[in-house]
Amino acid sequence: MKNKKAFGKIFEAVMHAVFLLLGLVTVGCVLLITVYLVIAGLPAIRKIGIVNFVCGDTWRSTANPPSFGILPFIMTSIYGTAGAIVIGVPVGFLTAVYLAKLAKPAVRSVVSGAVSLLAGIPSVVYGLVGMLVLVPNIRRLFHIPDGSSLFAAIIVLAIMILPSIINVSVTALEAVPREYEDASLALGATPVETYFRVSVPAAKSGIAAAVVLGVGRAIGEAMAVMMVSGNAPNMPSLFQSVRFLTTAVASEMAYASGLQREALFSIALVLFLFIMLINAALNFFLKKR
Amino acid sequence: MKTGNTKRFALTAVIAAVAFAMLTGCSKSEAGTVSTDGSTSMEEVIGVLGEAFMEENKNITFTYNPTGSGSGIQAVQEGRCDIGLSSRSLKDDEKAGGLTETVLAYDGIAVIVNNENAVNDLDLDTIAKIYKGEITNWSEVGGNDTQIVLIGREAGSGTRDGFESITGTEDECQYRQELTSTGDVITTVSQNPDAIGYASLSAVSDSIKALTVGGVAPNEATVKDGSYVIQRPFVLVTKNDTKLSAAAQKFFDFATSADAVELISSAGVVAAK
């Protein structure tokens, strides 16, 4: 009996250690990635010069002499993400209001099912459909020589960020206390007035978090945009072939060597800093809620 | 009940340990294995050779890791594989780093256009002018009055390196699109009637049209006799100061032997021997 108790205690201690260890693995991974990115990313920045690297507008990694300016990638990532937000947020936000407040249960279950499904589609499939359907149609519709462009990437990204925006916004809207809305309705406001004047302002920090989450998803996406954006390192323009921060790393990594390879790690470091900023913004909004 | 739990836990731990050991074991090369690493363009030819080699030597395991020429060269340099595969000649600094190249085969690079394109033949000079952006309309070379859309590969790709060095357009190509695989290039050219691209001869299919260059059609015979000018080497990369393992040496000898010529040809490239 006593033996059993002692064994139980030891077992508890062992399991505690195991859980602690598993928890530390996660923290360790984050630390490892951060430290590795900084170590791998800094040498090239030092060799190229931070100003030349971040503000240079020409990227010719294998030219002689090479030039490593990533301003086109930074601008493209910002423009692309902004474009996706401009298109994706209104659609996602209004869908969320509809789902949370207006939709009948039957319609709601169908639409939420579709949204979940959209979230589950792998990004390479978005890219493939974009490449085979969207790109040729953009070419035809706008009478440009080639459809692979920033515009195609924005459309694909806007669709890809919809599920995150919708799901988080719906949760935020549903958390608004019923009494707020009842009070507004009792004062004579129509339901739609109530939703936009009472529910939405009450859920605004949650909705802001949804937008930030969408930004994070859009700026980090590589596969789908690589397949539709053309990947030429141009300064961003709506119907020009462009390259994002993510695709700049992904597209040249396979064959890169020497300084070119180091510079790709530096791009990853810049991207990592962007993501950290977005994460900090997300935490800020979530805490506020 | 409790002992049952601990047993299960112990079992899980053992499985995890074994799985971990297997994972770490993969990257090591042992006696009886040949590991190759590198060019994705060489996938077909190295696949055929590896299969035939394993058929003959049942106790030797052959592995190929398609990572790209740069990664393959780096892998052999760091001793992570026996033989590196590169679809470009070694650069001078790589040779200075203690690496040796052995040409296994030559691969023709086909210049491809959409099937709807009226143009059938361009000479090397015209191709260079098109890629440099000096000729921008198909009508200037006998096609429709539409803008030429230049499709290429990403910087560092062996195919791009090969194409640009042969046509003398290094760092001057005005690409509209830089794609990351041969398949992407072919798909994109097949989708756009105004596109022109380049790809491995072995990857050319009916969905696109391979141009004749200066009147010479790209095929095995013309690559071998040198009359088709856009071609590049497939190279086996080894380390000077490290002796190959017995198994790796056996594969190396096999791949460069006369017996392998037919196998190499069956992969759509031209054997060097």
Side-chain angles (χ1 to χ4, degrees):
Chain A
M1 194 63 200
K2 211 176 176 183
N3 242 342
K4 215 167 185 185
K5 227 177 192 173
F7 180 75
K9 243 184 189 167
I10 294 170
F11 183 70
E12 282 296 316
V14 168
M15 285 316 288
H16 184 86
V18 168
F19 287 133
L20 182 68
L21 193 72
L22 292 178
L24 288 178
V25 166
T26 315
V27 178
C29 284
V30 174
L31 278 179
L32 195 74
I33 292 172
T34 313
V35 169
Y36 181 74
L37 263 183
V38 171
I39 292 175
L42 281 182
I45 293 183
R46 207 172 298 143
K47 274 178 223 165
I48 299 159
I50 180 88
V51 176
N52 285 340
F53 186 65
V54 176
C55 302
D57 62 356
T58 353
W59 173 266
R60 292 211 312 206
S61 54
T62 52
N64 192 19
S67 56
F68 297 97
I70 65 163
L71 191 63
F73 308 154
I74 295 177
M75 295 313 286
T76 301
S77 274
I78 292 173
Y79 280 29
T81 306
I85 291 298
V86 165
I87 298 176
V89 166
V91 175
F93 168 66
L94 293 178
T95 311
V97 172
Y98 175 73
L99 282 180
K101 301 295 173 192
L102 290 159
K104 291 195 183 90
V107 182
R108 191 192 154 133
S109 76
V110 171
V111 177
S112 332
V115 171
S116 310
L117 210 61
L118 200 63
I121 296 174
S123 60
V124 64
V125 175
Y126 281 99
L128 197 67
V129 174
M131 192 173 170
L132 296 178
V133 179
L134 189 64
V135 168
N137 280 310
I138 287 178
R139 176 176 175 274
R140 229 162 286 146
L141 209 61
F142 294 98
H143 301 286
I144 49 175
D146 185 35
S148 293
S149 56
L150 179 61
F151 183 68
I154 286 175
I155 302 278
V156 169
L157 283 177
I159 296 169
M160 289 185 77
I161 63 173
L162 277 182
S164 346
I165 294 176
I166 294 173
N167 286 334
V168 178
S169 303
V170 165
T171 314
L173 285 167
E174 277 176 343
V176 173
R178 180 92 195 127
E179 290 79 15
Y180 289 16
E181 287 160 15
D182 286 346
S184 164
L185 291 170
L187 287 170
T190 64
V192 172
E193 273 173 349
T194 302
Y195 302 141
F196 282 97
R197 298 267 170 90
V198 177
S199 312
V200 171
K204 68 169 185 279
S205 72
I207 292 168
V211 173
V212 178
L213 201 66
V215 171
R217 173 115 211 245
I219 206 162
E221 177 53 41
M223 194 64 214
V225 291
M226 189 149 100
M227 294 170 82
V228 299
S229 65
N231 291 323
N234 297 322
M235 272 305 210
S237 151
L238 200 54
F239 291 111
Q240 263 297 332
S241 169
V242 291
R243 198 185 289 183
F244 290 71
L245 282 169
T246 47
T247 51
V249 179
S251 65
E252 289 190 13
M253 197 47 110
Y255 293 100
S257 61
L259 186 58
Q260 181 194 9
R261 196 178 182 82
E262 287 173 23
L264 295 183
F265 283 112
S266 306
I267 299 179
L269 181 62
V270 171
L271 181 65
F272 188 70
L273 292 179
F274 269 93
I275 303 275
M276 293 292 259
L277 270 178
I278 290 161
N279 238 341
L282 186 67
N283 276 337
F284 174 76
F285 284 122
L286 286 178
K287 279 229 180 84
K288 219 169 152 190
R289 189 158 109 198
Chain B
M1 188 62 197
K2 241 177 194 163
T3 43
N5 265 340
T6 35
K7 255 187 196 161
R8 212 172 297 157
F9 173 69
L11 191 66
T12 322
V14 168
I15 291 173
V18 169
F20 187 67
M22 280 164 77
L23 274 177
T24 49
C26 283
S27 54
K28 253 195 209 148
S29 54
E30 294 150 4
T33 67
V34 185
S35 56
T36 61
D37 191 314
S39 171
T40 50
S41 319
M42 288 172 72
E43 180 158 17
E44 205 173 343
V45 61
I46 217 70
V48 170
L49 286 174
E51 229 168 75
F53 179 69
M54 280 214 282
E55 196 80 13
E56 277 181 25
N57 305 278
K58 298 273 189 208
N59 55 342
I60 297 177
T61 316
F62 177 86
T63 61
Y64 161 60
N65 195 5
T67 53
S69 300
S71 305
I73 293 167
Q74 198 179 358
V76 71
Q77 178 89 60
E78 290 169 4
R80 284 187 281 114
C81 69
D82 297 316
I83 299 171
L85 307 171
S86 170
S87 49
R88 59 167 170 79
S89 294
L90 290 181
K91 292 172 183 163
D92 289 337
D93 62 323
E94 288 163 345
K95 282 183 181 159
L99 296 175
T100 306
E101 61 176 21
T102 310
V103 178
L104 178 69
Y106 293 99
D107 179 34
I109 299 173
V111 178
I112 56 173
V113 294
N114 192 279
N115 280 330
E116 289 173 29
N117 200 315
V119 176
N120 288 313
D121 177 77
L122 294 171
D123 58 30
L124 197 59
D125 194 40
T126 314
I127 292 172
K129 277 186 180 149
I130 287 175
Y131 267 91
K132 280 194 229 169
E134 288 164 19
I135 295 174
T136 56
N137 198 300
W138 280 113
S139 63
E140 293 173 57
V141 291
N144 299 329
D145 182 19
T146 48
Q147 202 184 324
I148 300 175
V149 177
L150 298 174
I151 312 290
R153 291 289 304 277
E154 81 280 13
S157 146
T159 315
R160 166 159 160 173
D161 193 41
F163 175 84
E164 291 188 356
S165 56
I166 296 162
T167 54
T169 54
E170 285 124 320
D171 317 326
E172 291 179 77
C173 288
Q174 308 291 315
Y175 293 115
R176 166 75 205 201
Q177 289 199 42
E178 293 183 24
L179 303 174
T180 52
S181 78
T182 301
D184 276 355
V185 172
I186 290 177
T187 310
T188 305
V189 171
S190 70
Q191 295 271 326
N192 190 333
D194 303 326
I196 184 170
Y198 50 80
S200 280
L201 182 58
S202 54
V204 168
S205 64
D206 289 343
S207 60
I208 38 87
K209 182 165 76 177
L211 295 177
T212 58
V213 176
V216 182
N219 59 45
E220 203 170 298
T222 55
V223 169
K224 195 164 196 169
D225 67 19
S227 57
Y228 184 75
V229 288
I230 309 179
Q231 48 172 291
R232 64 175 166 147
F234 278 173
V235 177
L236 300 177
V237 185
T238 48
K239 242 176 142 172
N240 293 336
D241 55 357
T242 326
K243 205 166 171 290
L244 286 174
S245 69
Q249 186 63 48
K250 205 165 185 186
F251 175 76
F252 189 89
D253 293 341
F254 168 75
T256 51
S257 71
D259 297 343
V261 168
E262 201 173 314
L263 290 166
I264 293 172
S265 313
S266 75
V269 293
V270 183
K273 293 250 156 136

